[in-house]
Amino acid sequence: MKHVAVYPGTFDPVTNGHLDLVERSLTIFDEVIIAVAENPKKAPLFSLQDRLSLFRAVTSHYNNIVIEGFDGLLVDYVRKKNAVAIIRGLRAVSDFEYEMQMALMNRRLDNKIETVFLMPNEEYSFITSTIVKEAASYGGDVSSLVPGVVVKKLREKFGR
Ligand code: PNS
């Protein structure tokens, strides 16, 4: 049986930390579906289309991942895909409370779906899409934190 996991997030935009997690997930699961949340409540900087295109551009060398947009309840999406697990990253203790709430809520909604937490390489433990956007908006160099295509897109967005 093929073991499929869903790695959900807003990915606004994809960072090297996200890519590190994709790589780690593929050592455990046969296929990983990257589920890019529409997430209008978060008012993302990049459109869903842009977030999908960026993630696809930087993962085109993998043949065992699928990248899709989703909205609605995550557990419904996971069930629809016949996936067995949700992957989430835990960078630091500060992530824990929100992640635990979400994992336990998802478990309450569907007891059969496990959340698997993976720790990114410590080199990436401080990176968030939010902090990358903040630095890039003031012209900061984020080229060691995100792939080149993302650096380019951020420069276009912020006119820097
Ligand atoms: O990268 P993010 O913004 O931390 O990802 C959060 C995301 C998209 C995984 C989460 O908000 C989510 O699962 N949204 C879909 C609605 C849902 O099922 N929420 C969790 C149960 S309340």
Side-chain angles (χ1 to χ4, degrees):
M1 192 185 119
K2 195 161 95 165
H3 282 96
V4 178
V6 169
Y7 178 27
T10 309
F11 304 118
D12 182 41
V14 57
T15 67
N16 290 346
H18 296 136
L19 294 176
D20 181 80
L21 237 66
V22 168
E23 187 88 47
R24 287 171 199 281
S25 310
L26 288 171
T27 65
I28 306 174
F29 295 97
D30 302 308
E31 183 180 293
V32 173
I33 302 173
I34 293 152
V36 183
E38 179 105 50
N39 228 342
K41 273 194 219 143
K42 269 202 169 177
L45 175 68
F46 293 105
S47 67
L48 177 62
Q49 216 42 57
D50 278 352
R51 286 178 280 142
L52 287 166
S53 304
L54 286 172
F55 220 134
R56 286 190 181 123
V58 296
T59 51
S60 55
H61 52 294
Y62 292 109
N63 56 12
N64 43 358
I65 66 172
V66 171
I67 303 177
E68 285 188 349
F70 89 103
D71 57 9
L73 263 190
L74 177 61
V75 290
D76 289 343
Y77 178 83
V78 173
R79 256 196 310 263
K80 204 167 72 195
K81 296 289 164 185
N82 287 319
V84 292
I86 295 167
I87 307 275
R88 291 289 289 175
L90 267 187
R91 289 162 298 203
V93 176
S94 50
D95 283 340
F96 183 75
E97 202 168 329
Y98 168 61
E99 292 300 334
M100 189 186 72
Q101 263 184 345
M102 218 160 51
L104 293 181
M105 186 62 187
N106 285 331
R107 178 181 286 169
R108 184 63 63 94
L109 294 170
D110 190 326
N111 195 31
K112 290 199 191 74
I113 301 170
E114 287 298 340
T115 299
V116 175
F117 292 106
L118 295 176
M119 284 170 65
N121 187 311
E122 56 274 21
E123 193 187 337
Y124 304 129
S125 59
F126 68 98
I127 309 180
T128 64
S129 297
T130 305
I131 209 158
V132 164
K133 285 181 284 189
E134 166 83 5
S137 72
Y138 293 109
D141 178 9
V142 293
S143 59
S144 63
L145 311 178
V146 292
V149 280
V150 176
V151 174
K152 191 164 166 275
K153 202 83 183 167
L154 283 164
R155 286 207 187 112
E156 281 168 24
K157 200 63 156 184
F158 293 118
R160 297 227 175 216

